[in-house]
Amino acid sequence: MRLIMLGPPGAGKGTQAARLAERLGVPQLSTGDMLRAVVAKGSLVGLAARDVMARGELVGDDIVVNSVLECIAEPGAASGFILDGFPRTLGQARALDEALEQARLGLDAVLELKVVEAVLLDRIIYRAREAKAAGQRVRSDDNPEALKVRLEAYQTQTQPLADYYRTAGLLHTVDGLMPIDQVTSSLFAELRLLTPVAGSLHLTGDI
Ligand code: AMP
């Protein structure tokens, strides 16, 4: 299956994408993780991306689009993928559509996690605290200042994608405020509705 996870920062996209990827046996492609790896390497592109990310802004479409298109063309993604954090702009969505069309492939669904803004800051602060307690590096953009910019970027640049995919008949929205397991079950329930084949092949049983 070829899926996109859509939702604001802190909505739980990464957690849910990992669960879906495991159950469906397809790779989770997180552009945030890809970019953090590029930053860690210290390349010129990484240095440019580092400050943009720390401020909470979006890095340029050119940088992200090429990395994603390369990943989805790899053999590991032949039977599908879950895009986590991509697309985030209409330009990225159109570039993805074009690439899939050229490869005569299509998306199965766009799964949107809806979470009210007031909860997101709490979640981000919790995530930073957990990372610190586990001795992990706290993300440079998991702080209130950067979150404000990330939310603005989401509202102005990414939120319009919900309409874009709704018009294409691909959008499925789930309440991201429910407990994690319930969100997962609801996402699988949405996927089961897609095709009878999906229901019988991979998606039997509950989480
Ligand atoms: P995430 O891990 O998905 O929260 O992404 C962390 C940061 O990486 C974002 O705030 C952006 O700065 C950058 N980023 C991740 N994905 C994209 C994307 N598709 N387009 C532009 N910037 C991105």
Side-chain angles (χ1 to χ4, degrees), residues 31-32 35-36 53 57 59 64 85-86 88 92 139 150:
T31 42
L35 287 166
R36 282 184 284 277
M53 290 169 74
E57 295 164 10
V59 307
V64 192
F86 182 94
R88 264 173 151 107
Q92 292 177 15
R139 280 174 52 163
R150 288 161 72 196

Side-chain angles (χ1 to χ4, degrees), residues 183-196:
V183 174
T184 311
S185 297
S186 299
L187 291 172
F188 275 109
E190 292 295 323
L191 295 183
R192 273 188 216 103
L193 295 175
L194 292 181
T195 61

Side-chain angles (χ1 to χ4, degrees), residues 4-7 13 29-32 64 83-88 92:
I4 288 174
M5 295 288 312
L6 196 63
K13 294 187 300 294
L29 303 176
S30 155
T31 42
V64 192
L83 291 173
D84 160 15
F86 182 94
R88 264 173 151 107
Q92 292 177 15

